């Protein structure tokens, strides 16, 4: 019975139409002098109309109950224009919800895979340090292993901050040459250990960026060059200034990148042939560098020839406002 009263609440338009039509009809008979009104006939007609309305409402009620029971079925019937559009809206909401859940699950899986890979990576220098405690070790080796740990920890921290980037950035004028020299200084032991020659051709280049994040990006690219450049190799770092943009170029004489791998090197978790053969890799360094660059209004390109060279270029477009690009991502 409760369902029926709820049903009548939503069928008020039919009741109002019945009442108004009977009032209009009665008024017409009453005011027209040419019509001889017999109240018995009017009451009889009204009663018939009421029975027809009751039958119609009962039919509607039964139909509504039937549709409510079948509402989970894809091909269930709609009783109103409004119901049709509500159904479409609900279907869109379901699709968006499924899409959102899939995206969250995908991100959780990627984060889980990264953490597992990260644990495997960081175990190596920790194990080496443990062995050093038991044997004689030199200060140089100790420093190298600590530097590896710091590098992996930085990667994990920046990866964790990536989703909330807008809460931790400050756009300022950054001296690219100064940042490069600072990164080179931090990696000086690796340059010396592998006897890699360094050529700097840095003009006075100032860009708008976040100095901390930009330093991390440059460090990822230089570390990548150091990792894949053999002993006695060469790394050339230079800057260019064109009409449309400023560029930071990092080129090495390392093992290069396979042409099939080149389009995917900035993908999350991609290690490629080099990562599988020459050294263990989480495949996150270049991904983080590109993602952070994009958030700052910059972008990175790469060209390479296997066993000849690899060249990374950070592009700083002059018509791009990093601040505006970043706040667009704030929900």
């Amino acid at each position: 019975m409760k369902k029926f009263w709820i049903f009548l609440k939503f069928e008020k338009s039919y009741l109002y139409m019945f009442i108004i039509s009977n009032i209009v009809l009665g008024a017409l008979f009453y005011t027209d002098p040419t019509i001889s009104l017999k109240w018995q006939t009017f009451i009889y007609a009204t009663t018939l109309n009421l029975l027809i309305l009751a039958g119609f409402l009962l039919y509607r009620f039964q139909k509504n109950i039937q549709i409510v029971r079948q509402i989970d079925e894809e091909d269930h019937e709609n009783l109103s224009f409004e119901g049709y559009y509500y159904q479409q809206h609900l279907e869109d909401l379901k699709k968006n919800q499924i899409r959102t859940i899939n995206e969250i699950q995908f991100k959780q899986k990627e984060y889980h895979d990264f953490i597992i890979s990260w644990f495997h990576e960081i175990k190596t220098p920790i194990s080496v340090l443990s062995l050093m405690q038991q044997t004689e070790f030199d200060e140089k080796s100790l420093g190298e292993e600590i530097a590896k740990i710091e590098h992996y920890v930085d990667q994990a921290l920046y990866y964790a901050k990536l989703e909330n980037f807008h809460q931790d950035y400050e756009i300022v004028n950054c001296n690219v040459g100064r940042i490069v020299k600072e990164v080179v200084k931090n990696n000086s032991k690796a340059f010396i250990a592998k006897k890699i020659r360094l050529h700097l051709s840095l003009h006075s280049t100032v860009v708008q960026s976040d100095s901390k994040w930009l330093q991390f990006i440059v460090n990822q690219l230089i570390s990548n060059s150091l990792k894949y450049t053999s002993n006695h190799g060469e790394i050339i770092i230079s800057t260019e200034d064109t009409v449309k943009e400023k560029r930071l170029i990092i080129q090495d004489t390392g093992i290069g990148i396979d042409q099939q791998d080149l389009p995917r090197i900035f993908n999350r978790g991609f290690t490629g042939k080099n990562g599988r053969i020459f050294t263990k890799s989480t495949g996150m360094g270049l991904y983080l560098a590109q993602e952070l660059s994009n958030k700052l209004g910059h972008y990175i390109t790469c060209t390479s020839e296997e066993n000849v060279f690899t060249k990374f270029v950070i592009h700083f477009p002059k018509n791009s406002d990093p601040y505006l690009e970043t706040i667009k991502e704030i929900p």
Side-chain angles (χ1 to χ4, degrees), residues 141-152 154 186 189:
S141 299
L142 178 63
E144 288 177 357
E145 299 308 319
I146 291 175
K148 288 180 183 178
I149 293 175
E150 289 177 345
H151 177 72
Y152 292 136
D154 280 345
N186 294 338
K189 291 180 180 178

Side-chain angles (χ1 to χ4, degrees), residues 191 196-199 225-226 234-237 250-252:
F191 277 97
I196 292 176
R197 298 184 303 277
L198 174 65
H199 293 283
S225 291
L226 284 168
E234 184 178 45
I235 294 178
I236 303 168
I237 305 176
I250 301 170
Q251 182 169 333
D252 62 63

Side-chain angles (χ1 to χ4, degrees), residues 117-154:
S117 175
W118 185 84
F119 280 137
H120 284 295
E121 286 294 313
I122 205 167
K123 276 175 62 179
T124 302
I126 291 174
S127 299
V128 172
L129 289 176
S130 298
L131 288 172
M132 285 182 178
Q133 285 184 323
Q134 303 171 22
T135 59
E136 294 184 1
F137 63 90
D138 60 90
E139 187 177 340
K140 176 183 171 183
S141 299
L142 178 63
E144 288 177 357
E145 299 308 319
I146 291 175
K148 288 180 183 178
I149 293 175
E150 289 177 345
H151 177 72
Y152 292 136
V153 169
D154 280 345

Side-chain angles (χ1 to χ4, degrees), residues 62-190:
Q62 292 296 330
K63 199 70 175 174
N64 272 273
I65 292 296
Q66 181 182 357
I67 288 174
V68 167
R69 289 171 181 168
Q70 298 174 349
I71 200 165
D72 290 332
E73 298 179 9
E74 292 184 2
D75 58 345
H76 77 274
E77 182 184 357
N78 285 299
L79 284 181
S80 67
F81 185 69
E82 181 185 43
Y84 170 78
Y85 276 96
Y86 269 120
Q87 181 187 349
Q88 296 298 313
H89 180 62
L90 286 173
E91 287 178 358
D92 290 339
L93 287 176
K94 286 180 181 179
K95 289 177 183 177
N96 290 333
Q97 185 181 35
I98 292 171
R99 190 179 298 111
T100 302
I101 291 172
N102 288 338
E103 288 176 357
I104 292 171
Q105 289 177 340
F106 181 69
K107 287 183 178 180
Q108 287 178 336
K109 182 180 182 302
E110 286 184 331
Y111 190 78
H112 176 267
D113 293 343
F114 169 71
I115 292 299
I116 296 299
S117 175
W118 185 84
F119 280 137
H120 284 295
E121 286 294 313
I122 205 167
K123 276 175 62 179
T124 302
I126 291 174
S127 299
V128 172
L129 289 176
S130 298
L131 288 172
M132 285 182 178
Q133 285 184 323
Q134 303 171 22
T135 59
E136 294 184 1
F137 63 90
D138 60 90
E139 187 177 340
K140 176 183 171 183
S141 299
L142 178 63
E144 288 177 357
E145 299 308 319
I146 291 175
K148 288 180 183 178
I149 293 175
E150 289 177 345
H151 177 72
Y152 292 136
V153 169
D154 280 345
Q155 271 196 356
L157 286 174
Y158 279 88
Y159 181 73
K161 291 179 179 180
L162 195 59
E163 294 299 324
N164 299 312
F165 172 82
H166 62 274
Q167 298 178 359
D168 184 26
Y169 79 99
E170 182 183 9
I171 301 299
V172 296
N173 288 330
C174 300
N175 188 314
V176 175
R178 189 177 302 163
I179 289 175
V180 169
K181 290 174 182 177
E182 184 66 26
V183 172
V184 168
K185 180 181 177 182
N186 294 338
N187 288 276
S188 58
K189 291 180 180 178

Side-chain angles (χ1 to χ4, degrees), residues 255-268:
I255 59 176
I257 302 170
D258 187 278
Q259 294 302 306
Q260 292 182 345
D261 290 343
L262 197 56
R264 296 183 290 166
I265 60 172
F266 296 111
N267 291 358
R268 189 197 310 245

